Amino acid sequence: MLKLKLYNTMSRQVEDFQPIHPPQVGFYACGPTVYDYTHIGHLRKYVMDDVLVRLLKVAGYQVKFVRNITDVGHLVSDGDEGEDKLEKGSRRYKLSAWDLAKKFENYFNHAMAEMNNLAPDVSCRATEHINQQLTMVKTLEKKGYTYVILGDGVYFDTSRLPDYGKLARLRLDKLKAGARITKLAGKKNLTDFALWKFEKPNQKRQMVWSSPWSARSFPGWHIECSAMSSHYLGEQFDIHTGGIDHIAVHHTNEIAQAEAAFGKKPFVKYWVHHNFLQIEGKKMSKSLHNFYTIDEIEMKGYQPMALRLLFLTTHYRSELDFYFENLAGVQKALKRLITDIQAWQKTTSLTLDEIARQSLGDEAKKMKEQFWQKMADDLNTPEAIAMMWRMAKSEELKPAEKLALLLDFDQVLGLRLFELTPEELELKSAVDANSLPAKVKGLLKKRRQAREEKNWQEADRLRDELRKLGYLVEDRPEGEKVKLVGTCLPVGRVGS
Ligand code: AMP
Ligand code: ZN
């Protein structure tokens, strides 16, 4: 069995992976808050989850993969104040909170399929696990970990846990109220957090449930993940993933709730955190509105598997800056590889099954081992991908051996190497005039007018504006040509 190593945020070290009950592995991934479009920043995280699940399976583990859908209770501040993201999104998109959640859960699932991510064994909605969450809060109340802030909610008293904050290594004595931690009136400690919230008198929420504390109330954000993960995976399980933004608050509070309620430590054996996809030095995020959806990426002529490969070229614990130029480079390389694969397939009469089963020469065996060693070493995908390129170019391997290795590698890479065609990976650099967004068409028209009037300054200004939107205008003797460029500004959402 492949020996895996994983970086554990709890110990800040790469550790040998040893599940609690081998060969079973309980795996919980924090899922999306479904109030807006899934963007490619999220996709980086979910692709890396997928690669880890695939790797565990190749290594022979029986993985139970659970991912939640946050469809209630995640407040805009990430703290305990402010509006529920679902209620806010409901106004923005003029849909009921329930329909909004459905719409964006569907979009999330569509994006997962586009990225060739395996479906989880369990996809669980917070709104469908209200009882499990209530039970957990009642247990915490019985054990004396809670207090009520009148008119606000049930709170967890973090001073009751001597090791509170261990995941983030919080220095509680040094914490000050700030962007992520709010000092709410009535909170006993700065780090106390809401387990259950009450509707405010003037609020008229769409999503409310009756609880022992209030007839119109709803769960806090953190409780859903402790309640649902333990419901499906037990009171202690192996792997929990999330973005690095979840370490200090969300996962810290998940640990507090679960370890206090169940009286067992550790709640999770390996905490795996993914770094961000950035754009112009900032986290790509729904709140900053500096994001692209997968449909926008495809509309610009890119194939989702090129994006997947781009993600794999950077280690999951490093930041990744998104540039269209890089995506284009990766897509070109992938197209060459797919073209080669098709050519190599023509040199053999063996079926793919037969190719996969054939015996390998020493050099091929060595490369195969090196690839899996890299993957097993805390998912060193950049080096594993580099290994794949070396292998593909090697003059020592027979085409059938290359095919066998690529079939093998694609079990974990999930790049659809044997399904894609070079045509699908053709880069379309010039834009089809008919598919341009109305705003871009309008700016182009104005620019043409400015040029006719020889108002070069205005024409240049409009060219800059178009560039910011991701469109490069070139003036050619045969007329203007519009190309796509890397940019951080989204050009209206696709899929709405
Ligand atoms: P959310 O829907 O905002 O709750 O995010 C769902 C997951 O995606 C969380 O684990 C986030 O940490 C992660 N995430 C959000 N934005 C990014 C980004 N730009 N890069 C990588 N992961 C992200
Ligand atoms: Zn979560």
Coordinates of all heavy atoms in Angstrom, one line a residue, residues 28 30-31 68 221 225 240 246 250-251 254, ligand 2:
Y28 N -14.2 14.6 5.6 CA -15.3 15.7 5.6 C -14.7 16.9 5.0 O -13.6 17.4 5.4 CB -15.8 16.0 7.0 CG -16.9 17.0 7.0 CD1 -18.2 16.5 6.9 CD2 -16.7 18.3 7.2 CE1 -19.3 17.4 6.9 CE2 -17.7 19.2 7.3 CZ -19.0 18.8 7.1 OH -20.1 19.7 7.2
C30 N -15.5 20.9 4.1 CA -16.4 22.1 4.2 C -16.9 22.4 2.8 O -16.1 22.7 1.9 CB -15.8 23.3 4.8 SG -15.8 23.1 6.6
G31 N -18.2 22.5 2.6 CA -18.7 22.8 1.3 C -19.1 24.2 1.1 O -18.7 25.1 1.9
N68 N -20.7 19.1 2.9 CA -21.9 19.8 3.2 C -22.3 20.9 2.3 O -21.4 21.4 1.5 CB -21.8 20.3 4.7 CG -20.9 21.5 4.7 OD1 -19.7 21.4 4.3 ND2 -21.3 22.7 5.2
W221 N -23.3 29.1 12.2 CA -22.7 28.5 11.1 C -21.9 27.2 11.4 O -21.9 26.2 10.8 CB -21.8 29.5 10.4 CG -20.9 29.0 9.3 CD1 -21.2 28.0 8.4 CD2 -19.6 29.5 8.9 NE1 -20.2 27.8 7.5 CE2 -19.2 28.7 7.8 CE3 -18.8 30.5 9.4 CZ2 -17.9 28.9 7.2 CZ3 -17.6 30.7 8.8 CH2 -17.1 29.9 7.8
C225 N -21.3 21.9 10.7 CA -20.2 21.0 10.3 C -19.9 20.0 11.4 O -19.6 18.9 11.1 CB -19.0 21.8 9.9 SG -19.3 22.6 8.2
H240 N -10.3 16.3 7.7 CA -11.3 17.4 7.5 C -10.6 18.5 6.7 O -9.4 18.9 7.1 CB -11.7 18.0 8.9 CG -12.8 18.9 8.9 ND1 -13.0 19.9 8.0 CD2 -13.9 18.9 9.7 CE1 -14.1 20.5 8.3 NE2 -14.7 20.0 9.3
H246 N -10.6 29.2 7.1 CA -11.4 28.5 8.1 C -10.7 28.1 9.4 O -11.3 27.7 10.4 CB -12.0 27.2 7.5 CG -13.1 27.5 6.6 ND1 -13.6 28.7 6.4 CD2 -13.8 26.7 5.7 CE1 -14.6 28.7 5.5 NE2 -14.7 27.4 5.1
H250 N -13.9 29.1 12.0 CA -14.8 28.0 11.7 C -14.3 26.7 12.3 O -15.0 26.0 13.0 CB -15.1 28.0 10.2 CG -16.1 27.0 9.8 ND1 -17.4 26.9 10.4 CD2 -16.1 26.0 8.9 CE1 -18.0 25.9 9.9 NE2 -17.3 25.3 8.9
H251 N -13.1 26.3 11.9 CA -12.6 25.0 12.4 C -12.3 25.0 13.8 O -12.4 24.0 14.5 CB -11.5 24.5 11.5 CG -11.9 24.2 10.1 ND1 -11.1 24.0 9.0 CD2 -13.2 24.0 9.6 CE1 -11.8 23.7 7.9 NE2 -13.0 23.7 8.3
E254 N -15.5 24.5 15.4 CA -16.0 23.1 15.2 C -15.4 22.2 16.2 O -16.0 21.3 16.8 CB -15.6 22.6 13.8 CG -16.6 22.9 12.7 CD -16.2 22.1 11.5 OE1 -16.0 20.9 11.5 OE2 -16.1 22.7 10.4
Ligands
ZN2 ZN -17.6 23.8 7.6

